């Protein structure tokens, strides 16, 4: 029996970091994934992200002090 010459998707290989996945999603599909808490954004930019999120998906649950990523 011959050994496999390739790695099936999801097995082995290099795992992309989250920012790389987001960048590729934007460039290839026009999908923007951004955290309302991203420190690279100014306050007005973060506020715009928050308002867009609420308009498209409704308000977030009340913040109970826990951070989940």
């Amino acid at each position: 029996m011959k050994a496999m010459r390739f790695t099936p998707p999801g097995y082995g290989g290099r795992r992309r970091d989250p920012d790389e996945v987001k960048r590729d999603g934007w460039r290839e599909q026009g999908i923007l994934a951004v955290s309302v808490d991203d420190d690279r954004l100014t306050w007005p930019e973060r506020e715009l992200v928050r308002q867009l999120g609420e308009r498209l998906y409704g308000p977030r649950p009340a913040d109970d002090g826990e951070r989940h990523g």
Side-chain angles (χ1 to χ4, degrees):
M1 178 176 262
K2 293 183 179 181
M4 292 174 50
R5 294 185 198 181
F6 66 94
T7 304
Y11 295 93
R14 185 182 71 83
R15 186 178 194 109
R16 298 185 301 167
D17 67 22
D19 278 337
E20 187 177 353
V21 173
K22 294 174 191 178
R23 183 175 45 251
D24 292 346
W26 172 248
R27 291 179 178 169
E28 295 171 10
Q29 300 178 16
I31 296 171
L32 181 62
V34 61
S35 171
V36 71
D37 298 321
D38 193 321
D39 292 334
R40 296 173 292 184
L41 302 176
T42 63
W43 179 85
E45 292 167 338
R46 288 191 301 270
E47 184 64 15
L48 176 62
V49 169
R50 185 192 63 77
Q51 290 176 11
L52 286 170
E54 287 184 357
R55 180 172 181 192
L56 294 173
Y57 305 113
R60 296 172 70 196
D63 187 4
D64 57 6
E66 291 185 38
R67 307 306 293 181
H68 296 287

